[in-house]
Amino acid sequence: MARTDIHERILAQRRLRTAQGRLRQRRTVARRDGVRLEVDGRWLTGFCSNDYLGLASQFEVGAALQDAAAREGAGSTASHLVCGHHALHEQLEREMADWLQVPRALLFGSGFAANLAVQQALLEDEDVCVQDRLTPASLIDATRLAGCRLRRYPHLDPEGAMRQLRNAPGGAAMLATDGVFSMDGDVAPLRALSLVARTQEALLYVDDAHGIGVLGPQGRGTVAEAGLGVREVPLQLATLGKALGGYGAVVAGDADLVEHLAGSARPYLYTTALPPAQAAASLAALKLARRDDWRRERLRELIEQFRTGAGRLGLDLMASSTPIQPVLCGDESVATAMSSSLEDAGFLVTAIRPPTVPEGRSRLRVTLSALHTPQQVQALLVAIADARERADRAAA
Ligand SMILES: *Cc1c(COP(=O)(O)O)cnc(C)c1O
């Protein structure tokens, strides 16, 4: 039997991606100062981070990290069930649960791992996981890991969710959605989905990676904003690497479910606990996220300014009221050209292309932060309009 040569196979894939102009490249940030980034020797204004509240570079957050690291060292030295579970982890779980008004929260190394854990620990072969068509990679991979059926419904469509659940009787069911969709910026119809979940006896799981800190009272996210609680949404994901400016994630909700994850989820058990200092940083960030409504207020003003300005310039925005404000470009070559014109003009804005988004729906994923100034937003708008004109001229 002739074996497939892995090396040859990946080189062929690479050639194909190069020909399609889809080779993905990392950009190295040499230094960071708030929303300003030094890349390839030039300082750019970034409109692509998920640091919505500006907490990643906040003094108190960095100071908490340093203090804890000076006392506790750089790492946790083991997994949570061996001897890596530190009082700072415990405190962070308690304060996250308190903030989100749920009985229990469990800290994970990352949102990706947390998403894998939830399905792996709760779903079995004969079960079904029904998801919005635009849920992230980690939720889809999670279903594979759980070994159950995956069914997807049209974006933001509770009736579609209902149909998929009805068509998959037997076994247990989970209904999973993002709170705020990461590439579109729109918000899931959580109240309607919670009714669907109730009538179909499915467990509703909300991945609120982009809603936590930003939406809802005290920044408690999309679940709180929809007026829902742990009864309607037994489990939700709050990540610490986006609006909270650090790293890690928390699965929060029903005590029995969370307890079960802590005792049996493989992506929880078989990995090193987060550094305690990282938990200290998140505790400091949480305090600010909870208290400082002015950060959310400033963000809202910038979003409003961006949308109004973009409307005047005839840019193709999406139905988003969140800090994720995609500008549709259509063809991926247009998105790439516009992103590179923007970089020439001093802005770092990522072009999002297939397979991350559907063909013909390539976009610039503009994200706003409370740290941006109205002047920076205005300058970005002018630069996007200019980039659009250049792309149109080049196509003509
Ligand atoms: C970023 C993100 C994750 C993964 O969280 P990490 O902590 O970065 O691993 C999961 N779900 C969504 C919707 C995300 O945007």
Side-chain angles (χ1 to χ4, degrees), residues 339-354:
S339 174
S340 95
S341 303
L342 284 171
E343 185 166 334
D344 292 342
F347 298 97
L348 195 61
V349 181
T350 328
I352 309 283
R353 303 173 287 158

Side-chain angles (χ1 to χ4, degrees), residues 166-187:
R166 275 215 195 98
N167 290 341
M174 182 179 288
L175 174 53
T177 179
D178 293 24
V180 173
F181 286 85
S182 54
M183 295 301 148
D184 293 49
D186 46 10
V187 177

Side-chain angles (χ1 to χ4, degrees), residues 149-365:
R149 290 166 290 171
L150 170 67
R151 295 283 183 274
R152 307 185 88 187
Y153 58 88
H155 186 46
L156 307 181
D157 179 9
E159 280 162 33
M162 179 74 111
R163 267 195 307 279
Q164 290 288 30
L165 283 163
R166 275 215 195 98
N167 290 341
M174 182 179 288
L175 174 53
T177 179
D178 293 24
V180 173
F181 286 85
S182 54
M183 295 301 148
D184 293 49
D186 46 10
V187 177
L190 291 185
R191 291 190 74 87
L193 288 170
S194 74
L195 290 176
V196 170
R198 196 171 70 193
T199 53
Q200 291 295 313
E201 297 175 88
L203 189 154
L204 180 56
Y205 176 61
V206 177
D207 174 344
D208 208 18
H210 297 277
I212 283 295
V214 174
L215 299 179
Q218 294 181 311
R220 281 160 43 214
T222 51
V223 174
E225 183 168 70
L228 302 175
V230 70
R231 246 172 35 140
E232 296 86 7
V233 183
L235 285 179
Q236 62 174 302
L237 175 74
T239 56
L240 305 171
K242 285 163 181 159
L244 289 164
Y247 195 69
V250 150
V251 174
D254 176 87
D256 292 331
L257 292 172
V258 173
E259 208 52 60
H260 182 74
L261 295 184
S264 67
R266 297 167 65 84
Y268 182 76
L269 297 176
Y270 302 114
T271 190
T272 303
L274 272 182
Q278 191 58 62
S282 289
L283 278 163
L286 167 57
K287 190 167 149 198
L288 301 176
R290 202 171 173 166
R291 183 191 75 192
D292 293 350
D293 276 326
W294 64 264
R295 293 176 197 274
R296 283 181 281 277
E297 193 47 47
R298 183 173 298 176
L299 196 48
R300 261 194 294 279
E301 286 165 11
L302 294 169
I303 293 166
E304 174 77 28
Q305 180 198 350
F306 181 80
R307 290 190 66 84
T308 310
R312 278 201 205 109
L313 292 165
L315 298 175
D316 200 356
L317 293 187
M318 299 182 71
S320 162
S321 55
T322 68
I324 301 168
Q325 289 293 329
V327 177
L328 277 173
C329 305
D331 196 71
E332 61 183 287
S333 62
V334 177
T336 322
M338 285 177 68
S339 174
S340 95
S341 303
L342 284 171
E343 185 166 334
D344 292 342
F347 298 97
L348 195 61
V349 181
T350 328
I352 309 283
R353 303 173 287 158
T356 309
V357 292
E359 296 283 346
R361 304 281 289 169
S362 290
R363 64 199 66 174
L364 295 170
R365 181 175 180 271

